[in-house]
Amino acid sequence: RIVPKVVIRGMQLGLGLQLATLSLKEYVQADSVPGYWLAAVAFIVTIFLIGNKKYPAALFVIMLGAVYAFTFKLDTAIVAQSIGLHLPEFQVPTVQDVLTGFVLLALPQVPLSLGNSVLGTKQIVQDLFPDRSLSVR
């Protein structure tokens, strides 16, 4: 009731555009031509399955990315060398580490988590299941 639907939609759109921009700048260009092909196929799959409740596009895009990663990016020699058991190393954080983590990581995460995880999820559930009553609580 306090946050208008338009604000939630804007937040979802902004987050989606940020993630798309990040992927185009950092990941697609890093693989050059194969990266652009992967992005194009994922885009076509998404457009083809948009609105399909039985077969969600995200599931197929994630599977496509996993197949691509295992086929072209997985170095089996490194995986074979890295398998093993290692005991964790215990480190005590300093007061400066805790303050830095709080100011740079925890504090900015609060509005994002409330907006995206709580309000955004509630809005999506209302869109997909309009006959069910749902509150933020």
Side-chain angles (χ1 to χ4, degrees):
R1 290 179 295 182
I2 296 171
V3 180
K5 188 176 185 177
V6 174
V7 172
I8 297 171
R9 293 288 188 225
M11 180 193 59
Q12 291 172 327
L13 177 65
L15 185 59
L17 290 175
Q18 258 187 329
L19 291 173
T21 303
L22 175 70
S23 69
L24 289 174
K25 285 182 180 178
E26 298 294 325
Y27 301 109
V28 173
Q29 290 180 358
D31 275 355
S32 189
V33 175
Y36 286 108
W37 276 108
L38 178 64
V41 171
F43 181 74
I44 290 169
V45 167
T46 302
I47 295 299
F48 183 71
L49 292 175
I50 201 161
N52 189 332
K53 290 183 181 181
K54 188 174 182 180
Y55 301 107
L59 181 64
F60 288 101
V61 170
I62 289 171
M63 286 191 313
L64 177 67
V67 168
Y68 177 82
F70 282 114
T71 305
F72 298 110
K73 296 295 180 181
L74 186 65
D75 188 358
T76 54
I78 293 175
V79 172
Q81 288 176 346
S82 64
I83 294 176
L85 295 175
H86 305 282
L87 293 174
E89 294 180 21
F90 183 72
Q91 294 182 349
V92 178
T94 66
V95 173
Q96 184 61 37
D97 292 338
V98 173
L99 287 174
T100 302
F102 178 75
V103 171
L104 294 179
L105 302 174
L107 199 57
Q109 189 65 33
V110 171
L112 180 64
S113 292
L114 284 176
N116 192 36
S117 301
V118 177
L119 300 175
T121 303
K122 177 185 177 285
Q123 189 59 55
I124 288 174
V125 170
Q126 281 183 341
D127 292 345
L128 295 176
F129 305 103
D131 54 328
R132 296 185 183 172
S133 178
L134 179 74
S135 72
V136 174
R137 293 182 187 173

